[in-house]
Amino acid sequence: MASLAGAAAHEVRPAYLDVREETPGVFSVLLKTPMQGDARLALSAAFSGNVAKLTPVVSRPTGDAMLQTWQMRAVEPLEGQAVSIDGLENTMTDALVRIEFLDGYVWLEKLTPGAPGATIPTSQSSWTVAKTYVSSGIEHILFGFDHLLFVAVLMLIVRDWRMLVKAVTAFTVAHSITLTFATLDWVTLPSAPVEVMIAFSIVLVGAEIVRMERGETSLTIAWPWAVAFVFGLLHGFGFAGALVDLGLPRGDIPLALFSFNVGVELGQLMFIATILSIVVAARQFFTIPRQAVIASAYGIGTIAAFWGVERLDAMLRASG
C-alpha cells in the first residue's frame, strides 16, 4: 500500500485514533487515516512510555480511509504519557484522539500539524470537555455536506429573515432532541436508512423551491418552520452517529451533549452568515436572476438524489 507524499500536504480530512481499555492495562487501538486512491497518509501512533503490541497490525481499506487495528499492553500507565501522531506535521489535516479507560474516564484531544502530540491527563476539566465537544460539533456540521445542503434549501425557500430564524431554530431544536435521545440510547434508528432519508429529504425540499418559483404553494412553503422541525428530527439521528463515535465522558454527559449541540448550531450560523455575505456582496455588482434560484434548486436536488441512490444501493448490498 503506497503512502501519500506530495498529496499529503493538501489532505484536509481528519485522522482518528481510538484507544479503549478492554482489561486492566490492555487496550484495543484503532487508527483511521485518510486515503486517496490506493495511497494513504503516512501516519502512525506513538506513546512516550513503555507500551507493547500484543497483536499484529491489521489493515483494512474502506474506500476513503485506511483502518488499522491492534492490541497493546501499557506496561506504564497511559495517564501522564504523551501520545502523538507521527507524520502529522507534514500534512494539513488534524487528528482526533479518543482514549477510554475501564473506569469510564474518556479523554479527547485534537492534534494538529503544529502540535502533533499531547500529554494524557489523569482527569479532564469541564472547560476542556466543553471546548473539545464544541469544536467537534462545529467540525461535524461544516464537514456534513448533506446537513449544510438542507440548510441551504431552507434559505432558498425562506426569503424573510424573521421566518428564516424561526425555521433554523426549529431545525436546531428538533435535531437536538433526537441527537440527545439517540446518544443516550433512548431511541435509536439504524444509521444506513437514516442517511438515505436525509438525502431524500433534501430532494423533497428542493422540489418545493421549484414549486414556489412557479407560484404554487404547499405546507413547506406556507409553514417552513414546521417542515424544518420534522426533518430536523431525522437529521438529529445523523448527528448522533458522530457523537456516538466520540463517546460521552462519564460525569460530564450533560455538558458534552450541550457543548456538541452548541458547536453544531455555531457551525450552522457560520454557514448561513457566509452564504448571506456572498449573496449581499454579489448584489452589489449584479442582480441575481430568478433562474439562478431554480438552477440552484435543481443542482442541490441532483446532488442529494445521487447521494440517496448511492446510499440506498450500499444499504441494500450490505443487507443482501
Side-chain angles (χ1 to χ4, degrees), residues 249-295:
R250 193 175 70 178
D252 283 314
I253 290 177
L255 176 61
L257 275 171
F258 176 77
S259 300
F260 188 83
N261 275 312
V262 168
V264 169
E265 180 65 6
L266 289 175
Q268 286 179 175
L269 294 176
M270 290 165 60
F271 174 73
I272 292 171
T274 300
I275 296 299
L276 291 178
S277 298
I278 292 173
V279 171
V280 170
R283 283 176 174 169
Q284 302 300 315
F285 300 98
F286 57 87
T287 300
I288 299 177
R290 176 188 169 206
Q291 289 79 4
V293 175
I294 298 177

Side-chain angles (χ1 to χ4, degrees), residues 51-257:
V51 297
K53 285 184 179 177
L54 298 178
T55 62
V57 176
V58 176
S59 300
R60 178 171 62 89
T62 63
D64 62 349
M66 174 65 73
L67 299 182
Q68 295 178 293
T69 57
W70 67 94
Q71 282 196 328
M72 71 177 191
R73 178 182 298 280
V75 181
E76 301 172 5
L78 285 189
E79 298 96 324
Q81 290 193 37
V83 58
S84 61
I85 303 296
D86 291 344
L88 193 66
E89 66 277 5
N90 300 320
T91 73
M92 292 180 62
T93 191
D94 297 331
L96 180 65
V97 177
R98 180 186 186 275
I99 301 180
E100 179 178 347
F101 296 90
L102 271 180
D103 62 2
Y105 167 46
V106 177
W107 177 68
L108 291 169
E109 185 65 38
K110 183 172 72 173
L111 304 181
T112 65
T119 300
I120 305 167
T122 55
S123 62
Q124 198 162 10
S125 68
S126 296
W127 166 248
T128 302
V129 171
K131 182 178 67 172
T132 300
Y133 279 86
V134 167
S135 175
S136 297
I138 292 174
E139 288 185 2
H140 180 67
I141 187 65
L142 293 182
F143 286 99
F145 299 118
D146 46 3
H147 301 296
L148 292 181
L149 282 187
F150 186 84
V151 174
V153 293
L154 277 183
M155 296 175 68
L156 289 173
I157 284 182
V158 184
R159 310 296 169 80
D160 178 77
W161 71 267
R162 294 179 183 84
M163 183 58 73
L164 177 61
V165 170
K166 195 173 181 179
V168 172
T169 300
F171 181 69
T172 298
V173 170
H175 71 59
S176 298
I177 293 172
T178 47
L179 167 63
T180 300
F181 281 19
T183 305
L184 296 179
D185 207 25
W186 294 347
V187 179
T188 58
L189 290 177
S191 61
V194 166
E195 294 300 325
V196 171
M197 290 187 289
I198 286 175
F200 286 122
S201 74
I202 302 170
V203 177
L204 291 174
V205 180
E208 293 296 283
I209 298 172
V210 178
R211 294 185 62 183
M212 183 178 68
E213 291 298 320
R214 291 173 178 171
E216 302 175 17
T217 188
S218 66
L219 176 64
T220 303
I221 297 168
W223 301 90
W225 65 269
V227 174
F229 183 85
V230 171
F231 283 128
L233 294 173
L234 178 64
H235 283 244
F237 286 108
F239 290 134
L243 192 50
V244 168
D245 288 341
L246 286 178
L248 293 171
R250 193 175 70 178
D252 283 314
I253 290 177
L255 176 61
L257 275 171

